[in-house]
Amino acid sequence: MFETLQTLPADAILGIMMLYRADSDPNRVDLSVGVYQDDAGRTPVLECVKRAEAAIFAEQDTKTYVAIAGNAGFNRGAEELLYGSNHPAIEEGRVATIQAPGGSGALSVAGHLIARARPGARVYLSDPSWPNHLPLLKLAGLTIEQYPYYDYAAHGIRFEAMLAALEKVEAGESVLLHGCCHNPCGADLSPEQWQALTALFERRGIVPFIDLAYQGLSESLDADAYGVRLMTERLPEVVVVSSCSKNLGLYRERVGTVSIVSRSRKERDAVFSNLSNVARGLYSMPPDHGAAIVERVLHTPELRSLWEQELGTMRQRINGLRQLLVDELRARDVPMDFSFIAKERGMFSFLGIEKEQVIELREKFHVYMVESSRINLAGINAKNSDYVADSIAAVLKR
Ligand SMILES: Cc1ncc(COP(=O)(O)O)c(C=O)c1O
């Protein structure tokens, strides 16, 4: 059977991680990983999570199955985070939400649902997008197209080109948008751009497919859901996938949601039964522990406010590091304007330097980043910030 299989090339980011691990230089810096790190370089368990977990361990008296759709209290809390309380779509019974194994599991379930509703459907991804969007959605049976998004030379969104490309999308097809903190480029849509896209989608009957993997890490929980809430208010059908990996630090627990807004309560019921049926066919039941933690955090006032505090600390650290890197590079009089980094949001930005310079940073200075020059700002800390800026300045001035 297996002689037909070929060994596949290693994942580009994992390849860089392996090189970093094999490097024993004391100055080595890893800006390639996709997880949040604190100033000590750790990816900590949040205190609100530890407290919720302790209560669950003390009280839990069974490990029997929960439900195909997961934890109902978690799903309700997740809807409130996404749409705000009392959103008309929720009050009108038009929203179907199920718990899924992480944002990736949610993308997979949503992809299968779209493919079932519209066999062979085309989904449009931003150029560039998170590299796992393509395989996840392709495996679900969708046809993947791209629309222009990031302008590497101007360090901003190619909004006119994006609008022109999306004018050609057919009614009933979907366009994947990053809700906030675009991965990998960090360039987010402004409220005006969300409004223009909403008008275009309304006119053309396009269904938004919004991936909100970083809610709360750009401006605030509410501001980061601006696009989701606007589109849900104005458009009859919206697909939203979310993840608690980053904003609650629950990476390995695999917590996410698929939430679908449809035109009527009747269509919502059909969507919910198909979401459940897709989940049943893919993995049967989602893992419980992470969602049980989030349910407790969201519904226990002290834990909820502790979470918002901890999330605020992560957000301020990332945004502060953006400004710090810009200032440090400016102070070294580098021949490039990096001010765009302070305007971008989330953990990632492209430095916008040449591939040879990325390789030189790695081989000579032990500073690791993805070959596209994508860096994770959270990899910078008090101990390495001078060294990172010195190294970048050195390869730029050569
Ligand atoms: C844009 C985007 N979507 C979804 C995910 C999925 O995250 P997870 O499956 O770990 O929840 C990520 C993770 O990096 C991401 O960057």
Side-chain angles (χ1 to χ4, degrees):
M1 180 187 282
F2 302 120
E3 69 277 10
T4 58
L5 299 179
Q6 309 284 327
T7 301
L8 301 172
D11 180 279
I13 300 181
L14 295 184
I16 308 264
M17 261 167 63
M18 302 298 276
L19 290 174
Y20 173 77
R21 283 189 191 157
D23 185 341
S24 55
D25 192 276
N27 287 325
R28 67 182 188 155
V29 179
D30 186 7
L31 303 180
S32 69
V33 292
V35 299
Y36 175 80
Q37 293 175 26
D38 63 15
D39 199 55
R42 289 170 316 176
T43 303
V45 181
L46 299 189
E47 181 57 28
C48 63
V49 166
K50 280 209 179 275
R51 290 193 200 168
E53 218 163 24
I56 292 166
F57 283 136
E59 289 169 25
Q60 195 169 58
D61 54 7
T62 180
K63 290 282 186 194
T64 188
Y65 297 117
V66 177
I68 299 172
N71 178 320
F74 163 78
N75 289 337
R76 262 199 316 279
E79 282 182 352
E80 198 195 311
L81 277 181
L82 293 175
Y83 307 106
S85 37
N86 311 321
H87 193 288
I90 296 178
E91 309 235 305
E92 291 156 20
R94 295 192 289 111
V95 183
T97 302
I98 72 165
Q99 178 193 324
S104 304
L107 279 156
S108 177
V109 171
H112 277 86
L113 185 87
I114 294 170
R116 187 180 277 193
R118 217 184 144 94
R122 281 188 289 204
V123 170
Y124 291 76
L125 302 182
S126 60
D127 175 17
S129 200
W130 180 49
N132 212 18
H133 277 144
L134 179 91
L136 277 168
L137 298 176
K138 218 168 151 187
L139 269 176
L142 296 167
T143 306
I144 309 301
E145 305 276 351
Q146 275 192 322
Y147 59 86
Y149 190 77
Y150 192 67
D151 185 331
Y152 293 85
H155 309 291
I157 301 176
R158 302 171 61 195
F159 196 62
E160 290 307 314
M162 175 179 176
L163 285 181
L166 297 184
E167 280 291 349
K168 301 192 183 90
V169 176
E170 286 172 24
E173 292 188 325
S174 53
V175 172
L176 193 143
L177 300 165
H178 294 232
C180 69
C181 304
H182 190 286
N183 181 4
C185 73
D188 284 345
L189 295 162
S190 67
E192 295 70 33
Q193 289 171 329
W194 279 107
Q195 287 159 23
L197 282 177
T198 305
L200 171 82
F201 285 20
E202 190 170 25
R203 182 161 49 74
R204 295 210 50 87
I206 297 169
V207 180
F209 183 169
I210 307 176
D211 182 354
L212 192 57
Y214 299 88
Q215 187 178 6
L217 287 166
S218 170
E219 305 298 330
S220 69
L221 284 169
D222 286 330
D224 295 355
Y226 177 83
V228 166
R229 294 179 189 179
L230 176 75
M231 289 196 154
T232 302
E233 220 170 273
R234 296 261 304 273
L235 303 174
E237 296 180 317
V238 183
V239 177
V240 186
V241 290
S242 75
S243 165
C244 301
S245 298
K246 318 287 156 106
N247 59 8
L248 279 129
L250 286 169
Y251 307 87
R252 66 169 67 163
E253 299 295 354
R254 316 306 300 137
V255 200
T257 58
V258 191
S259 185
I260 299 199
V261 180
S262 28
R263 289 181 301 184
S264 63
R265 196 179 283 266
K266 186 161 164 262
E267 284 185 13
R268 178 261 170 218
D269 291 345
V271 165
F272 184 77
S273 74
N274 277 276
L275 277 177
S276 303
N277 183 267
V278 165
R280 182 82 173 143
L282 285 175
Y283 50 79
S284 188
M285 305 269 171
D288 172 61
H289 187 61
I293 293 169
V294 181
E295 182 201 18
R296 244 171 220 267
V297 169
L298 294 180
H299 299 301
T300 312
E302 316 86 90
L303 295 184
R304 164 86 188 216
S305 78
L306 178 58
W307 172 47
E308 293 200 17
Q309 229 175 295
E310 294 187 283
L311 179 61
T313 302
M314 291 195 276
R315 174 175 64 237
Q316 281 152 20
R317 175 172 146 70
I318 295 167
N319 291 338
L321 287 167
R322 289 184 168 279
Q323 190 59 53
L324 176 75
L325 183 62
V326 173
D327 294 345
E328 296 278 345
L329 290 171
R330 194 175 287 141
R332 284 161 179 80
D333 210 16
V334 292
M336 225 180 119
D337 177 10
F338 286 100
S339 56
F340 65 91
I341 291 179
K343 293 185 204 121
E344 294 176 346
R345 283 292 173 263
M347 296 200 293
F348 309 110
S349 276
F350 291 119
L351 273 184
I353 60 175
E354 301 297 327
K355 191 170 160 190
E356 296 69 42
Q357 295 170 323
V358 171
I359 295 170
E360 193 182 345
L361 275 167
R362 182 168 76 222
E363 293 182 348
K364 249 196 198 137
F365 296 92
H366 312 276
V367 175
Y368 290 74
M369 64 189 69
V370 185
E371 283 198 352
S372 58
S373 84
R374 187 199 80 162
I375 56 167
N376 177 359
L377 276 298
I380 299 175
N381 55 48
K383 271 202 219 122
N384 68 22
S385 61
D386 273 336
Y387 180 71
V388 168
D390 285 342
S391 307
I392 296 172
V395 303
L396 284 175
K397 283 183 176 171
R398 211 160 289 268

